[in-house]
Amino acid sequence: MNKKLIVGLMIASSLFITVGCGKKEEVKQEETPNVPKDGTLFCKINDNKDNNSFEFTFKENKIAEVTYVVKNEYETDKKAKSQAETSKKDASKYQKMNGIDTNIELEDKTVTSSIRFVVSELDRDAREVYDSVFREISDLSYDKVKENLVSSKYECEDK
């Protein structure tokens, strides 16, 4: 009788351990955390003779740097030179701001203008310029910035 009782208790306890008290344990699904994305996104668009591109550098899924480059081809060297001089004058006011670098280059009939924003270094005036240019995307994630630019007919690639 003792053997039957012990064997019965062992079976009952093993069932109790395996099945529980009839109370279902809630199964929790593991959520994958939103892993911050670092990287560089390069987007360009060609519109007639103009070529515009953006290069975004992301740190923890936030824009850390943006470089915007515009290449314009002009009909004559004279027009190109005049535009380059005007662009240099316009760019000079940004050079005095922290976190903004500009560059204007003239090659034959092509003027290449670039402006680079380093978000962590922007002073108040530079932040206003940055916000006015990138207001719609400044707080977006890597994937959302890419989606936004692709929907605006830009060709984008991850670098």
Side-chain angles (χ1 to χ4, degrees):
M1 176 99 172
N2 266 345
K3 272 186 171 181
K4 287 182 183 178
L5 184 59
I6 292 174
V7 171
L9 285 174
M10 287 175 50
I11 291 172
S13 64
S14 67
L15 284 173
F16 182 74
I17 291 171
T18 306
V19 176
C21 305
K23 184 178 177 184
K24 286 188 176 180
E25 187 176 319
E26 209 173 289
V27 177
K28 294 182 182 180
Q29 291 182 345
E30 272 190 45
E31 293 181 26
T32 50
N34 187 9
V35 178
K37 189 169 189 176
D38 291 350
T40 301
L41 176 65
F42 180 78
C43 300
K44 67 179 180 175
I45 192 168
N46 291 319
D47 184 22
N48 296 325
K49 293 183 178 183
D50 297 342
N51 180 340
N52 301 319
S53 66
F54 290 99
E55 185 170 286
F56 295 91
T57 302
F58 286 82
K59 301 278 189 224
E60 297 182 358
N61 224 6
K62 296 283 183 191
I63 297 172
E65 284 186 28
V66 180
T67 302
Y68 177 57
V69 178
V70 180
K71 289 184 179 182
N72 295 311
E73 189 176 323
Y74 294 91
E75 296 168 6
T76 65
D77 290 343
K78 185 177 179 179
K79 284 184 180 180
K81 185 177 180 180
S82 173
Q83 183 58 46
E85 289 172 7
T86 301
S87 294
K88 284 181 182 180
K89 286 179 188 173
D90 292 342
S92 68
K93 65 182 172 185
Y94 300 117
Q95 281 296 94
K96 297 174 185 171
M97 297 178 188
N98 288 336
I100 297 180
D101 294 316
T102 61
N103 187 34
I104 312 299
E105 295 177 3
L106 172 63
E107 187 176 319
D108 298 324
K109 297 177 188 176
T110 303
V111 177
T112 303
S113 305
S114 68
I115 185 166
R116 184 178 78 126
F117 297 90
V118 180
V119 176
S120 65
E121 297 176 9
L122 298 175
D123 62 17
R124 194 181 87 219
D125 292 336
R127 172 61 71 177
E128 286 179 16
V129 173
Y130 175 79
D131 288 342
S132 71
V133 175
F134 297 104
R135 176 176 293 120
E136 292 182 23
I137 62 172
S138 64
D139 291 328
L140 297 181
S141 68
Y142 185 102
D143 293 330
K144 291 293 183 181
V145 168
K146 185 176 182 178
E147 182 181 304
N148 187 297
L149 288 169
V150 167
S151 71
S152 297
K153 307 295 185 226
Y154 279 81
E155 296 173 12
C156 295
E157 64 183 79
D158 303 320
K159 286 193 160 191

